Amino acid sequence: MKIIHIVMSDSFAGIEQHVNELACNQKNEFDIKIIVSSGISKKFNSGLELIEIENFGRRSIYQILKLAYLINKINPDIVHSHGTKTTQVINIVKKFIPFKHLATIHGVKKNLKAYEKADLVIGVSSKTVANLNVETKVISNWWSPLMSSNSIIRTNEYALSVGRLEKVKGFDLLIKSWKNVNSNLLIVGTGKEYNNLKSLISSYKLDKKIKIINEVSQDKLIDLYKKASVLLVASRSEGGPRVALEALNCGVPVLSTDVGHMNQILPKEFLAMPDDINSLTKLINNYVDQIENFDQSSIYEYVRNEFSVQKKSMQIKEIYEDLLIRS
């Protein structure tokens, strides 16, 4: 089976990491090619077959025709697009050449029209595909296979939160909820909200308790997990979140807002309502400083068994096979 994964972006973030790990798991069974923007190609695993293209806008007809020529030359069984812009571009390419089109939607989106032109859509949670008028399957994110859970000995130096510094991630709510917490908080990420969050920390006089550091590599993130007493997800909206799976795989307890697939993993007592400062504050005050008294070991095992890339890759393989036998 010949599969093309396509991602069109200038940054190597969650979607790109998802494609990289999925393709690495698939490459021994399928003929896998990844069409990717030249600016981020070096971030992908060196053992993958990458085809570099210039990142272009969805209205660039000349570049779309070039892409159509490239895909036609490869003659894939399935084109698997990731993200809204990429899916929109592939929808145009399909007007020139026929192929089976599978799209993955990685987050909760307001405008879903692009995905409804795919033959089938995979959502990383039921919430991402709730309002789609097309056949859908839910295949959740997975924990990073590069993160070993066997050697994590935690030292409980701080509470940890990881993600893009954007409004949707709810770091402002997290900071506002920290007033009566004794534990220190380490926020890891980069983004346009950095200055606003720093100012918020100062205005709440939490400079000695809350620190923000830049996004780190996977190896460094493992070191941060080793020192974390708990991982906090405060997102207003979320497709996964993947970082929660990584933490649980490493044996780090998680407290989260009820986003993505978190209500399938954590009991209600460890969840707060999204975009609700009172609910988040109550959750944090009840559990952060006492987290060692609450055993999540059964959740760790559940995540390690049910959310591996190998298991999710097998589920995606079944979708590929089903798509190909259709007329």
Side-chain angles (χ1 to χ4, degrees):
M1 192 184 304
K2 190 179 293 185
I3 308 295
I4 292 178
H5 290 286
I6 178 165
V7 287
M8 297 178 63
S9 61
D10 288 322
S11 62
F12 190 87
I15 291 177
E16 294 73 28
Q17 188 175 346
H18 176 106
V19 173
N20 186 50
E21 291 171 355
L22 177 60
C24 284
N25 197 263
Q26 293 176 329
K27 67 176 184 176
N28 293 329
E29 188 166 4
F30 304 135
D31 181 355
I32 298 290
K33 293 176 172 58
I34 303 178
I35 297 177
V36 61
S37 303
S38 56
I40 61 169
S41 61
K42 290 181 174 58
K43 299 282 188 177
F44 284 79
N45 186 285
S46 59
L48 296 172
E49 185 175 351
L50 303 176
I51 302 171
E52 297 183 3
I53 61 170
E54 177 185 342
N55 193 10
F56 57 86
R58 61 200 80 187
R59 292 185 176 88
S60 178
I61 297 301
Y62 172 70
Q63 295 293 347
I64 288 172
L65 288 172
K66 283 181 63 177
L67 179 61
Y69 175 80
L70 173 61
I71 291 174
N72 189 54
K73 188 175 179 180
I74 296 171
N75 190 27
D77 295 298
I78 294 172
V79 173
H80 192 161
S81 64
H82 298 264
T84 303
K85 174 190 171 182
T86 306
T87 299
Q88 289 172 330
V89 168
I90 292 301
N91 287 338
I92 300 172
V93 170
K94 287 190 296 186
K95 295 178 180 179
F96 302 100
I97 55 172
F99 48 78
K100 294 290 187 180
H101 177 204
L102 176 68
T104 294
I105 180 169
H106 291 263
V108 178
K109 307 291 183 183
K110 291 182 179 179
N111 189 344
L112 298 170
K113 289 183 179 179
Y115 295 96
E116 293 180 348
K117 295 180 181 179
D119 294 305
L120 189 143
V121 175
I122 293 175
V124 297
S125 72
S126 58
K127 294 175 183 178
T128 63
V129 295
N131 299 309
L132 273 172
N133 295 314
V134 67
E135 184 180 356
T136 63
K137 300 287 186 181
V138 175
I139 306 289
S140 73
N141 281 323
W142 48 78
W143 43 263
S144 170
L146 300 177
M147 290 187 171
S148 170
S149 60
N150 298 324
S151 60
I152 298 292
I153 301 175
R154 295 182 9 255
T155 56
N156 299 336
E157 297 175 26
Y158 45 69
L160 179 66
S161 193
V162 182
R164 303 186 316 276
L165 303 184
E166 298 181 5
K167 197 78 172 177
V168 70
K169 295 296 185 178
F171 288 113
D172 57 322
L173 301 176
L174 185 58
I175 292 166
K176 292 175 182 178
S177 301
W178 214 257
K179 182 178 179 181
N180 296 316
V181 180
N182 293 322
S183 302
N184 292 328
L185 171 63
L186 179 64
I187 296 173
V188 181
T190 56
K192 58 186 179 183
E193 287 295 308
Y194 175 81
N195 290 332
N196 291 336
L197 294 175
K198 289 288 287 183
S199 297
L200 188 61
I201 291 169
S202 296
S203 69
Y204 274 72
K205 296 181 171 55
L206 291 170
D207 302 83
K208 292 183 179 180
K209 282 188 177 181
I210 302 178
K211 182 179 180 182
I212 302 177
I213 65 172
N214 287 336
E215 189 174 10
V216 299
S217 66
Q218 289 281 295
D219 289 342
K220 178 63 176 176
L221 190 55
I222 294 175
D223 291 336
L224 296 180
Y225 282 138
K226 289 178 181 179
K227 299 176 182 179
S229 60
V230 61
L231 178 93
L232 296 154
V233 176
S235 299
R236 290 178 165 88
S237 176
E238 186 81 54
R242 176 190 168 97
V243 67
L245 300 176
E246 293 178 344
L248 290 165
N249 175 54
C250 291
V252 179
V254 171
L255 301 172
S256 176
T257 48
D258 187 359
V259 292
H261 50 227
M262 292 312 299
N263 58 15
Q264 301 170 32
I265 297 172
L266 298 179
K268 289 183 179 180
E269 64 186 285
F270 296 135
L271 295 171
M273 293 296 294
D275 203 11
D276 186 325
I277 184 66
N278 293 326
S279 180
L280 183 62
T281 300
K282 182 179 178 181
L283 179 74
I284 287 171
N285 287 340
N286 285 346
Y287 292 107
V288 168
D289 287 337
Q290 299 85 27
I291 195 64
E292 70 278 1
N293 297 325
F294 301 93
D295 184 9
Q296 291 192 3
S297 57
S298 62
I299 301 173
Y300 306 155
E301 287 306 309
Y302 171 66
V303 167
R304 288 166 187 161
N305 293 331
E306 298 298 323
F307 291 84
S308 69
V309 64
Q310 291 85 2
K311 182 147 191 170
K312 300 305 176 181
S313 181
M314 285 296 297
Q315 294 171 358
I316 292 172
K317 175 187 175 182
E318 292 174 2
I319 292 173
Y320 287 170
E321 291 173 342
D322 182 60
L323 196 57
L324 286 181
I325 63 176
R326 301 179 188 183
S327 58

